[in-house]
Amino acid sequence: MEGRKTEKSAINLNETSSEKRFLKERIKEWEDYMNLTGHKDLSLDTILRLTEGYLEAKDILYKKDMEEYEKALAAEKGSLKEEIRQPEQDYSSIIRHFRILSDEYRYRKGADAVHYALGYALYEQGERDEAVKVFEGIIKNYPQSIYLPEVNFRLGEFYFETGQMGEARDSYRRVLNYPQSIFYDKAVYKLGWVYYKIDDFKNASDLFMSLIDRTWEGKFKEAGLTDDSVSCLVMSLTHFNKIDEAVEYLQSKGVRGYATLVLEKIGEVLTQETRYENAIYVYDSLIKNFPDNPNIPFMYEKMAALLEVNGDKETAIAKREILAHQYNYTTAWYKKNHPDGSEKIDSLIFRTIVDVSKEYHLKGKSEANIKYLQSAIDGYRNFLLLFPKSQNYKEINLLLAEALFDAGTYNEAAMEYEKTAKLYQETLKRGDIAYSAFLTHAVIFNKSEGDRRAVINNAARILEAYEKDFSLSGKLEKAHYTISDMYARIKAYDKARDIIMPLTKGKDFANAYKRIAELYLEEGNLGSSEDIYSKLFSTSKDPELQEILAKLRYRLGDEYLKAGKLNEAVEKFNSAFTVYPDSDIGEGSLMKIGHIHIQRKNISGIRDVVGRMAKAYPNSSGSLSLLVEAGQQIENDEPLKAAMLYEEASSITSDSKNIQKLLFAAGIIYEKNKEYNKAVEVFKKCLLKNEIPPDREAEARYRLGYSQIKLGKKEEGMETFSRLKERSGQTDNIFVAKAEFLILKERINVYLDMKITQPFEETLSKKTELLNHLIKDYSDMARYKMPELLTEMFFSMGIALENFRDSILHSERPSDLTKEELEEYSFLLEEKAYPYDEKAVRVYENSLQISREYKVYNEWMRKGLERLVNLRPALYKRGFAFKDVKPVFIYPEPVMMEAGHAEQRYSKN
Amino acid sequence: MLSRDTVKISQVGSAKKLVPLCLKTGWACGTLFFILLFLTGCVTNQKEGYSLKNRIRAESEALVKKQQDDERQRKAIVLFNNGFQLINNDPIGANALYREGIILMPERWEAYYNLGITYMKLYDHERAIKEFSNALKYNAPQSKVYNAIGVTYQSMGRNGDAIKYFKKALSLEKSPIVIMNIANIYQDMGQKEESIKLYHQIEFVDISKLPLHNNIGSLKYKMGDFKGARDEFNMALEKEGENIQVLYYQAQTLLMLEEYENALNVYKKIAAKNSADPEPYRNMGIIYEIYLGDMASAYENYTAYIKNGGEKTKDMESWIEVVKVKMVKKEGQ
C-alpha cells in the first residue's frame, strides 16, 4: 500500500512537470514566433491562435504557481525562514509585441482582436489608462468588433472603479445593446450599482428588478447574480425617501414571486438599521398584501418584537394574540398554507401563547386589572386546548389556576389547582399545589356568606386527600389550623377544636393547645380556656401567655361580677393579679377587688386592697381613688366610717388640693353627725396647712368655731369667730357671715331669755334696747347681699319681735291691782304688744318676698312661712293635694288561643 | 255500638233480600250462590270482612264525631276570641263568653286563665283564684299561673299569700316581672331593704317595658330620699314612657324638694294631659300665690279648680278672696 502511494504521487509529480513543460513550450513557441515580428510578415490568424494558447498557458501556470505559493506559505507559517515571493502575472511580453503589431496590423482583418488583446494585457498588467485608450480605440475604430460588449463592460468597470459614474453608465449601457452577450446581465447589474451610487434608487431598483425578473425561477439564471440583485434591490428600496414609497413601488410593479422575499429582507435591513417603525410598516404591508404567505406568523412575531423595542407593549401583545388565535393549527389559514403541519409555526404559537398569557398575567396582577387577568386566563385555557400533550401542560395548568385566583374566580381556581395537583407526581410540588387549592377554599369561605359548611367540607376533602403531601411540604399543621378557623367562624367550636386536637400530640403542641384555648375563649367558655392557658403558662412561663392568662382571669372576674357572683369575682381578680402583678392588668385587678369591697361596704377588705396597692404600685393613684370611692359609697349609711376613709385618703396623697378636699369632706361629715371633737381636730389640721386658700380658710374657721361651740367651748368658739370676723370686710364670704350670725345667735339667746318683770318700765327699756341693737345688727347683715342669709336674718328678726310681743303680754303683773285694774292693765299691754306682732308679720313677709325674688326656698323661708301660717292663717295657710305614691304591679294579660301558647303580655295596674 | 255477631246477622239478612232481584235479572244460580257466599263472608276471609266494615263504620262515626268536635271547637274558639277582645273594656261580657266557651271546649287552659283575669277585673278575687287553679289542671305554664294568683292575693291585701305564690313562680322561672311584683309587695309592707335588693336584681335585665324606675322612685319617695326619687321618676318618664301617674309623683316629689317652679311645670303638663282633674290647679294656685307671688295666676288656677269640680270649694273661695286682696294691695304698692 505504502509503495503504491509513493508510486502514485510520483506519477502525479511526473504529470505536473510534463504539463508545465508542455505549457512552457507553448509559451516558448509563442515567444519564438513573436520574435519574428519585424523580420517577417506574420499571419495574424496564427498570432491570435498562438496568443490564445500563450495566454491560456500563462494563466494555468500562474494558477499553479499560486497554488504552490499558498502551500509553501501554509507550510512555512510561523517560521523565520526567508520570505517567499508571491508569483505575479506578467503580461509585459505580449504588451511589447502587440504594441508593435497593433500599429503594423491596424488595418488588417482581425486587428480589433490584436487591440483587444493589448488592452486586456495592459489592463491586467495594471496599466489601465493605456488600456482604456486602447479599448476606446476599439470602440471608435472597430464598431463591428465582436469584442465591443466586453470592451464596453471593461471600460464601465474602469470608470466605475475610478468614480466616473457618467462614463461608467454610458459604457454599461452600450453593453445592453448586446442582450445575448454574457456581459449583458453583468452590465445590467453594474448599471444598477451606478444608479445606486448616484442615489437614483428608483432606476437602480428598476435595473436590479429587471435582472431578477430575467433570472428568477431558473430562466437565464446567473448563479450568484440573482441573490446579489435581490440584495441590491432591497438595499435600493430601503433608500427610498419614504418606506411607503418603496412598498408602493413594489406594488406598482405587479405580482412578483420574489416580492415577499424582498419585503421580508427590507424588513430585516430596516431592523438592522434600527428603523423599527419602517420595518413594522413593511411587515404590516406584507401581511396585508400577501395573506397566504406561509411565513406570516413570523412576520407577526417580528412586528411584535419591534413594537416591544419601540416601547409599545400593548400593540405588541395584541399582535401576538392575533398570531396565537389566527395562525394556530386549528385555523383555516394553517390548514391551507401548511397542510402537512409546520413544527416551526407550532413552536412559535406555543411560545407566543405562553409569553402573551404570562405577560397579561403579570400585568393584570401588578395593576389589579381584571381585564388583563381574564386575557391571561383565556390564553392559558387556549394553550391547554391546543397543546394537550405538551410537557408544559401541567405548568400552564398551574398558571391558569393562579390567574383564576388572582382574578378572584376562586371556585374555578380551586378546581384548577386540584386538577393540576393530580398531574404532578412529585409529592413536594403536589403538596404545594394542593395546598393552594386548599387555601383557595379558605378564601372562598372568607368571601362567602350564609351556610358555608360545604366550603369547609371541600377544604377538609383536600386535606384528607393530600395529607401526606401536606406533611412533606410542611403545610399540614397550617391546614389544620385553617380548617379549625373556618369552623370557629361558623361557631362550630367543637369541630374547630377536634381538628386541632391531633396537633397537641406533635412537636408544636403548645401552639395547638393555645389555639384550643383561644377557641374556648371565642366560644365564651372562659373557664376551659383559662384551664389550658394556666397549664401552658405553668410549664413555659412565656410572658405572652402570662399576659393572656392575666387578661382572661380579669375577664372571668368581670363575668362573675356581672352575674353578681362577687366571691368568685374576687378570687379571679386575685388570681389575675397573682399571675401578672407587674402589669396594668394586675393593678386593674386589685382595683376591681377594691370596687367589689366598696360595693359590699366591706371596709376591712378595702383597707386590705389599699395596702396591697400601696405595696405593689407605690406610684399609683388607685389607693386614693378606692378610699374616696369607698367613702362616697358608704357616706349615707355609715358617714363616720366614710369620714375616716377620707381622712386616711388625705394621708396617702401629697396633692394639697386633694388633702384639703378630703379633710373638709371628713370634717363636714363629723360636724353633721355631731362628732364635734373629730370635726375640731380635722379643721384644725386644715388650718395648719400653709397652702389653704382664703375662702377655704374662712370655711374651716367657721366650722371649727361652730364645732367648738357645739362642744360647749364657747370661748374658744367665739375666739375662732372673732379671728374670722377680722375678715368681715369680705362681704362675699358666706362663712364670715355665718360666723356673725352665730355670734348674733348667742346674743339673741340672751335676749330671748330676758323677761319683763317689775319694775316694768325698767326691764321693758332694757329689753327694748337689746331688741333695737339686735334689729340693727341683723339689718347690718344685709350688707352681705346673700339671699340665703337674708331669709335667716328676717326670720331671726321676726322671732325677736314675736318674743318682744310675748314678753310684753306675759310680763309680770303688778301685785297690787284689782281684778278690774288687772283687766285694764292686760288690755293696755295688748295694745302695746300688737304693733310688734304686725312688725313680725312684715318681717316674715319680707323673708318670703326675698325667697320669691331670689328663688331661695330654704329652711328659713319655710320656718318664716310656718310663722306666717301661724300668725295669719287666712292669708297663708294652704295645703297641697298629694296622691298616695304606690308601686305599679304587673298584672297578667289574657292569652290568645289560636297561636297555641301565645307569648304572655303584661299590663300595668 | 254493635257487637261483631250483630253485624254478621244483619249482613246475612241483607244478602237474602238480594235474591229476588238477582232472579229477576236472570243470573245463573251458581253465580248467585257465589255472590251470597261472598256477601256472607264465606268466600273472602270473614275476619277481614268484619274488620273492614267495622272500620268503615268506626271511621264514619269518628268522622261525624270529629266534625261535631270541630264545630264545637270552632264555636268555642270564636267565643274565646270574642272574649279576648272584650276582656279589658267589658270584663262582664268577656266572662260570659269564656264560661260558655269552656262548656264547649273544656280542655284549654287559656280559657280558664283568661276567665280568671275577668274575675280579677271584676274584683271577684276568690273566683279568679279558682279559675287560675283550674288552668293548672290543663297544663298551663305554672310560673305564669302562680304569678297571676300572687297578683290576685296582692289585690286582696293578702300580701303573705301573694309572696308565697310569687316565690313559687320564681322557683320555676326567674322572671323579672315576678321579682318586681314581690319587690312591690315588700315596698307596700314597708320592707324597704328587701324591696330595693329585689329591684337591683333586675336592673341589668331589659326592663324597657317594666316600670322599674317608677317603682324604685316610689320606694325612695317613701324613704324620704326625694332626690333619688326625683331621679328615678325622671328616668321612668324617659325610658318607660310619659305616664300621668308618674308625672303626679314627680310633681309632688319636686314640691317636697322645694323645687316649686319645676313642680309647676310638671303640673302644667298634667293639666294639659288631664284637664278634668281639679287637683293640679289647686297645687299650681298655691305655688303661684305663696311661692312665686303671682296672684293673677293663682286666681286663675283656683278658679279652674272650682270649675273642674274640686271638692273643697269653700276653702278655695276664701283663698280667691285673699288673692284678690293681695292683688289690690300689690297694685296699691
Side-chain angles (χ1 to χ4, degrees), chain B residues 100-142:
Chain B
E100 196 184 335
I102 285 170
I103 293 167
L104 294 172
M105 195 178 174
E107 69 275 17
R108 296 297 291 260
W109 68 265
E110 297 97 328
Y112 298 100
Y113 185 81
N114 289 354
L115 183 61
I117 291 172
T118 64
Y119 281 123
M120 266 186 83
K121 287 182 184 287
L122 296 168
Y123 302 100
D124 189 345
H125 298 118
E126 296 294 347
R127 279 197 178 140
I129 290 167
K130 192 181 151 206
E131 295 305 335
F132 288 139
S133 305
N134 280 338
L136 281 177
K137 291 177 194 166
Y138 295 96
N139 294 327
Q142 291 182 336

Side-chain angles (χ1 to χ4, degrees), chain B residues 128-245:
Chain B
I129 290 167
K130 192 181 151 206
E131 295 305 335
F132 288 139
S133 305
N134 280 338
L136 281 177
K137 291 177 194 166
Y138 295 96
N139 294 327
Q142 291 182 336
S143 164
K144 196 183 185 78
V145 174
Y146 289 144
N147 178 55
I149 296 174
V151 172
T152 315
Y153 277 125
Q154 182 274 328
S155 303
M156 294 165 79
R158 288 169 61 179
N159 287 337
D161 289 328
I163 288 174
K164 195 174 99 187
Y165 276 92
F166 285 141
K167 283 189 175 171
K168 272 175 110 173
L170 264 189
S171 70
L172 296 165
E173 188 192 346
K174 291 275 176 202
S175 158
I177 291 158
V178 181
I179 294 172
M180 176 173 283
N181 282 340
I182 301 183
N184 288 349
I185 290 188
Y186 281 132
Q187 186 184 146
D188 279 349
M189 292 165 73
Q191 295 180 19
K192 291 162 188 166
E193 285 297 321
E194 286 84 347
S195 178
I196 199 83
K197 263 185 211 168
L198 288 168
Y199 287 134
H200 285 322
Q201 276 186 25
I202 50 174
E203 259 177 344
F204 301 107
V205 183
D206 177 19
I207 41 85
S208 54
K209 288 177 184 168
L210 298 181
L212 179 68
H213 291 297
N214 176 71
N215 291 346
I216 297 177
S218 154
L219 179 66
K220 288 188 174 174
Y221 184 92
K222 286 173 188 166
M223 290 165 79
D225 176 8
F226 298 114
K227 282 184 180 170
R230 177 194 56 195
D231 295 344
E232 292 294 339
F233 290 138
N234 279 342
M235 278 196 277
L237 289 167
E238 191 184 315
K239 294 182 177 176
E240 295 156 16
E242 206 165 78
N243 179 308
I244 198 153
Q245 194 174 355

Side-chain angles (χ1 to χ4, degrees), chain A residues 374-432:
Chain A
Q374 191 53 52
S375 297
I377 291 164
D378 293 344
Y380 292 140
R381 284 199 198 282
N382 197 21
F383 180 91
L384 298 177
L385 203 70
L386 291 173
F387 306 103
K389 290 177 183 169
S390 160
Q391 285 186 336
N392 300 68
Y393 188 89
K394 55 189 178 185
E395 183 203 331
I396 301 302
N397 208 151
L398 179 59
L399 285 171
L400 170 64
E402 300 277 0
L404 285 165
F405 185 91
D406 294 333
T409 46
Y410 300 113
N411 281 313
E412 286 180 66
M415 211 169 71
E416 291 300 335
Y417 276 129
E418 256 196 280
K419 201 174 121 193
T420 313
K422 284 175 190 161
L423 298 173
Y424 277 87
Q425 293 301 315
E426 314 91 276
T427 48
L428 192 66
K429 183 76 177 169
R430 188 170 61 194
D432 283 344

Side-chain angles (χ1 to χ4, degrees), chain B residues 222-281:
Chain B
K222 286 173 188 166
M223 290 165 79
D225 176 8
F226 298 114
K227 282 184 180 170
R230 177 194 56 195
D231 295 344
E232 292 294 339
F233 290 138
N234 279 342
M235 278 196 277
L237 289 167
E238 191 184 315
K239 294 182 177 176
E240 295 156 16
E242 206 165 78
N243 179 308
I244 198 153
Q245 194 174 355
V246 184
L247 285 172
Y248 273 113
Y249 295 165
Q250 191 197 35
Q252 62 199 54
T253 307
L254 291 167
L255 288 179
M256 298 306 288
L257 288 166
E258 296 175 328
E259 293 181 23
Y260 298 105
E261 283 186 315
N262 291 337
L264 181 70
N265 288 332
V266 179
Y267 278 124
K268 279 180 182 172
K269 226 184 253 184
I270 294 168
K273 277 178 175 284
N274 184 18
S275 56
D277 184 3
E279 299 302 340
Y281 298 109

Side-chain angles (χ1 to χ4, degrees), chain A residues 234-235 238 264-274:
Chain A
V234 167
M235 222 160 58
T238 58
E264 277 181 46
K265 284 188 178 288
I266 291 173
E268 282 166 17
V269 170
L270 291 171
T271 304
Q272 281 166 9
E273 289 175 0
T274 68

Side-chain angles (χ1 to χ4, degrees), chain B residues 11-156:
Chain B
Q11 280 172 340
V12 172
S14 53
K16 278 177 182 167
K17 281 177 192 167
L18 285 171
V19 175
L21 180 68
C22 296
L23 289 172
K24 278 180 194 171
T25 54
W27 286 357
C29 285
T31 313
L32 179 67
F33 181 64
F34 182 78
I35 291 167
L36 278 168
L37 285 176
F38 178 84
L39 289 169
T40 50
C42 293
V43 174
T44 58
N45 185 321
Q46 252 188 2
K47 259 191 175 174
E48 280 183 13
Y50 294 152
S51 98
L52 180 67
K53 286 178 181 298
N54 208 15
R55 206 173 70 218
I56 290 166
R57 176 166 295 198
E59 279 175 2
S60 163
E61 283 171 1
L63 187 68
V64 171
K65 190 175 179 301
K66 190 178 176 298
Q67 281 171 348
Q68 287 169 347
D69 283 352
D70 285 352
E71 180 57 22
R72 212 170 45 247
Q73 283 190 7
R74 196 186 59 74
K75 278 184 187 167
I77 295 283
V78 169
L79 289 166
F80 291 150
N81 284 345
N82 290 342
F84 184 83
Q85 300 296 329
L86 293 179
I87 207 161
N88 284 323
N89 300 322
D90 180 9
I92 296 173
N95 183 282
L97 293 172
Y98 276 114
R99 280 192 284 114
E100 196 184 335
I102 285 170
I103 293 167
L104 294 172
M105 195 178 174
E107 69 275 17
R108 296 297 291 260
W109 68 265
E110 297 97 328
Y112 298 100
Y113 185 81
N114 289 354
L115 183 61
I117 291 172
T118 64
Y119 281 123
M120 266 186 83
K121 287 182 184 287
L122 296 168
Y123 302 100
D124 189 345
H125 298 118
E126 296 294 347
R127 279 197 178 140
I129 290 167
K130 192 181 151 206
E131 295 305 335
F132 288 139
S133 305
N134 280 338
L136 281 177
K137 291 177 194 166
Y138 295 96
N139 294 327
Q142 291 182 336
S143 164
K144 196 183 185 78
V145 174
Y146 289 144
N147 178 55
I149 296 174
V151 172
T152 315
Y153 277 125
Q154 182 274 328
S155 303
M156 294 165 79

